[in-house]
Amino acid sequence: WLPKAHVEAPIAGSMVLAAVLLKLGGYGIIRMAPTNISTTLIYPMIAMATWGVIMTGLTCLRKTDLKALIAYSSVGHMGLVASATLIQTPWSTSGAVILMIAHGLTSSMLFCLANMLYERTNTRMLIAMRGMHKAMPLMTSYWLIASLTNLALPPTINLIGEIQIMATLFNWSPLTIMMTAMGATITAIYSLQMFMTTQQGHLTKDSKETYPAQTRELLIMLLHALPILLLTLNLELVY
């Protein structure tokens, strides 16, 4: 139901759902997992969470709806968070908290960028949004920041969280490295594909009258990008 809720909700609902409500779910797992989840139940739940990372990534590769692509990407990242919180070690919980904060900023930024394109093209289809670099060159820099943080480019805070979770899962079971590494690779592929499809190429006939980014939109993007940069430079703020 989560991708449906993301796609059908207004932009404010999508941003709040990605940035706040999903983190409440992760916080609930952290608080309840030590007491209410048995050891035998943890194994299938972690297996399903890590397998979900791959499945959502493969779904993103074939999505033509930009908002649905970002929604499934959000679900995949929260699968890593769920698997980390269930292991119940200080290292995994720390990685889950870091990734939740990074995911909240990145996914909210991507949803907002997708809505800006939707307001100008009246469509969410990727093929109809190509060439936006020519219409909004300044916004391309924010698209690049959001796409690179989504794929966990070093030394962003997203990478720190994912590395901690992958190391914890590998310590718990070495077999999980195959699923987490494959998930990270697929994430990099569809993130770059999303950026290149929307920004490169020639403008469509309907997009040639696209107006440039407004000050209000640039301010919203700055308020997303600045915390990501500050947390990347000083990760101790999370602890």
Side-chain angles (χ1 to χ4, degrees):
W1 60 268
L2 186 58
K4 293 288 185 182
H6 271 305
V7 172
E8 296 177 8
I11 179 59
S14 295
M15 292 173 69
V16 171
L17 179 60
V20 179
L21 295 182
L22 289 182
K23 307 307 165 292
L24 291 177
Y27 174 73
I29 297 175
I30 293 174
R31 290 298 300 268
M32 301 299 291
T35 57
N36 288 356
I37 298 180
S38 63
T39 306
T40 55
L41 192 60
I42 287 177
Y43 294 102
M45 292 181 70
I46 292 180
M48 289 175 61
T50 51
W51 181 245
V53 175
I54 299 176
M55 289 296 99
T56 52
L58 293 175
T59 304
C60 289
L61 289 176
R62 60 183 294 274
K63 278 294 175 184
T64 56
D65 187 327
L66 178 60
K67 200 172 183 182
L69 190 157
I70 299 170
Y72 277 97
S73 172
S74 175
V75 174
H77 284 94
M78 289 308 295
L80 280 176
V81 172
S83 62
T85 53
L86 290 171
I87 296 179
Q88 305 171 24
T89 62
W91 188 259
S92 67
T93 304
S94 172
V97 171
I98 292 173
L99 187 58
M100 280 195 289
I101 295 173
H103 168 268
L105 293 168
T106 305
S107 289
S108 178
M109 187 176 184
L110 284 171
F111 276 118
C112 192
L113 285 167
N115 183 71
M116 292 175 188
L117 295 186
Y118 174 74
E119 289 176 347
R120 289 163 171 81
T121 60
N122 293 320
T123 180
R124 294 198 303 260
M125 302 300 290
L126 279 169
I127 193 65
M129 296 179 177
R130 65 182 185 271
M132 284 296 160
H133 171 66
K134 297 179 180 178
M136 298 186 295
L138 185 57
M139 199 59 70
T140 302
S141 60
Y142 287 112
W143 267 104
L144 182 62
I145 293 172
S147 300
L148 293 181
T149 52
N150 191 59
L151 63 85
L153 182 80
T156 57
I157 183 176
N158 302 59
L159 178 73
I160 304 301
E162 289 193 13
I163 288 294
Q164 285 196 17
I165 292 174
M166 291 173 69
T168 308
L169 287 172
F170 180 76
N171 189 43
W172 177 74
S173 174
L175 292 176
T176 58
I177 193 65
M178 294 186 293
M179 290 183 283
T180 53
M182 190 179 300
T185 304
I186 296 172
T187 302
I189 293 172
Y190 71 70
S191 296
L192 292 175
Q193 182 183 12
M194 175 180 64
F195 174 76
M196 293 175 65
T197 305
T198 56
Q199 303 304 311
Q200 296 185 355
H202 298 286
L203 281 169
T204 60
K205 186 182 299 184
D206 299 329
S207 301
K208 290 185 177 179
E209 301 299 327
T210 301
Y211 55 91
Q214 300 176 354
T215 305
R216 166 182 58 87
E217 296 170 334
L218 293 173
L219 179 60
I220 294 174
M221 291 298 97
L222 182 64
L223 293 177
H224 282 86
L226 200 58
I228 294 175
L229 179 62
L230 291 177
L231 290 173
T232 300
L233 295 176
N234 189 9
L235 192 59
E236 292 181 357
L237 294 174
V238 177
Y239 300 105

